[in-house]
Amino acid sequence: MDDVITIGGSFAGLAAALQLGRARRKVTVLDTGLPRNRFAGHSHGLLGHDHKPPLDILAEARQQLARYPTIRLVNARADSISGTIDDFSVLTGDGERLGARRLILSYGVADQMPDVPGFAESWGTSIVPCPYCDGFEVADQHWGLVWSGPPSHNYVRLYHDWTETLTVFADGHDISPDIRADLARRNIPVVDGRIAEIAHHRGHITTVNLESGRNAAVDILFAHPRNKPSASLHDSLGLATVNTPFGIALKVDERRETSTPGIYAAGDLANPAMASVTTAISQGATAGISAQQSMLV
C-alpha cells in the first residue's frame, strides 16, 4: 500500500510528490498527460523557468523525481475511488487496483470553450485568461476583454499596469450604466453585440467579428470562459464544493484538506480562478506536506 496516491501529475501533483518523496513516503502519481496549459507556448512568472514551454518544465520535473526511489509515476487514468482514511482504493483505467492511506486530487479543470468559430483555435495563443502569465509580452499593445460579468470590471483596473489601450466586448452581457460611465471615464470603448467569430491566422487574432457585421481589431484578447473539473471523482466521493464565477471548485481548508478526512486537493481543481503555475506548485507542496504530517505517529 502507498502512503499517498496523487491523481493528476501536472504542476500541483508533481510538487506534492516531490515533498512526499523527500520525506521518504511511498507515493504513486497517476496522470493522463493532458495538463490545462498544454495550449500555451510558454509559461511565465515561474522563478527559474520563466519563458519555458510548460511541457518542457513538466518533463524536467519528472526527470528530477526519478532520483527518489519511493515515487512512482504512472501514465493512467483513475476510474474510481472507494474506502476511507488509511484505506483508500483507486481503480485505474488499466484495471490496476491501488491502495493508499491518503489521496491528493490534482486533476485540474477543463476550460469550456464558447461555440464561437476561431475561439478554441486561438486559445492559449492570442486568447488568454491571465495578465500575470502573458501580459508582459504584449504590454502597450491593444488589448480586448470579453465581458463575462461583474468580475470583469476588476480586470479593467488590473490591466492598466500593462496597457493604456483596452476595448471591452460586451458579448451580449448587460453592463450597468454606472460601470459604462466608469469605462467612459477611463476612455475604454465598449463594443456591444455578440461575438460571432474570431478571425485568426494560425491562432493569432486578426479581428473580432460581431453578429452585427462589425469587425474590431485587437492584438490580444483576454477571456474567462467557465471551466469544470477534468474528472468527476470528487462527485462520487461526495466532497464539498463551492460555486465560483469561473466554475465549481473543491472546498479545502488551509492545509488543502477536503471535507473528507485524508483527501487533499490542490491546483486549479481547488482554485479555478487563479490559473497560475506558481500557485499550483505552492498548493501542491502544501498538500503533500499536510498529507505527510497527518500520518505521523
Side-chain angles (χ1 to χ4, degrees):
M1 174 178 285
D2 286 322
D3 290 307
V4 180
I5 294 175
T6 297
I7 301 175
S10 188
F11 291 95
L14 295 182
L18 177 60
Q19 300 302 321
L20 290 160
R22 290 189 59 78
R24 303 194 298 177
R25 290 289 185 170
K26 187 178 179 184
V27 54
T28 293
V29 179
L30 301 177
D31 185 57
T32 59
L34 296 172
R36 182 185 185 187
N37 65 353
R38 63 189 182 277
F39 303 103
H42 298 88
S43 182
H44 299 119
L46 178 60
L47 188 65
H49 295 285
D50 190 43
H51 204 64
K52 285 185 180 179
L55 295 181
D56 289 356
I57 301 173
L58 289 172
E60 183 178 346
R62 294 188 188 98
Q63 291 174 359
Q64 292 174 355
L65 292 181
R67 67 186 286 252
Y68 297 97
T70 59
I71 298 177
R72 185 169 73 116
L73 305 179
V74 179
N75 182 18
R77 181 184 68 251
D79 275 354
S80 64
I81 299 173
S82 58
T84 57
I85 188 169
D86 287 323
D87 189 24
F88 291 108
S89 178
V90 177
L91 179 64
T92 74
D94 297 332
E96 183 179 9
R97 186 168 293 278
L98 308 173
R101 297 179 60 191
R102 302 290 187 272
L103 297 176
I104 296 176
L105 306 182
S106 54
Y107 46 80
V109 299
D111 295 295
Q112 304 301 289
M113 299 294 111
D115 188 20
V116 174
F119 191 102
E121 292 83 354
S122 302
W123 182 249
T125 301
S126 58
I127 303 180
V128 295
C130 172
Y132 297 102
C133 303
D134 298 291
F136 182 85
E137 284 69 28
V138 292
D140 296 324
Q141 296 184 29
H142 186 175
W143 291 19
L145 170 64
V146 180
W147 200 266
S148 55
S152 295
H153 195 200
N154 294 327
Y155 295 126
V156 168
R157 296 194 292 266
L158 179 65
Y159 295 167
H160 181 74
D161 277 356
W162 286 275
T163 186
E164 298 287 343
T165 309
L166 175 66
T167 296
V168 165
F169 294 91
D171 197 29
H173 286 87
D174 183 17
I175 302 177
S176 65
D178 60 321
I179 292 180
R180 285 180 179 267
D182 180 67
L183 295 175
R185 180 180 63 82
R186 298 172 185 272
N187 295 316
I188 297 173
V190 176
V191 178
D192 288 306
R194 287 196 173 275
I195 296 173
E197 179 189 17
I198 304 297
H200 67 96
H201 177 67
R202 296 181 178 177
H204 295 279
I205 291 177
T206 54
T207 56
V208 178
N209 300 341
L210 306 177
E211 290 181 348
S212 64
R214 178 180 176 182
N215 301 334
V218 295
D219 296 308
I220 192 162
L221 190 64
F222 282 78
H224 304 88
R226 284 181 64 85
N227 51 59
K228 66 177 183 179
S230 296
S232 58
L233 297 171
H234 57 283
D235 285 334
S236 64
L237 293 166
L239 301 184
T241 61
V242 292
N243 193 13
T244 79
F246 302 93
I248 297 296
L250 295 194
K251 185 177 182 180
V252 296
D253 62 18
E254 68 279 358
R255 300 174 62 250
R256 315 304 304 175
E257 191 167 23
T258 68
S259 57
T260 295
I263 302 180
Y264 300 79
D268 295 338
L269 181 62
N271 189 17
M274 194 63 177
S276 164
V277 168
T278 301
T279 302
I281 290 172
S282 173
Q283 293 180 359
T286 299
I289 291 171
S290 297
Q292 179 255 338
Q293 292 182 351
S294 75
M295 294 182 285
L296 299 179
V297 294

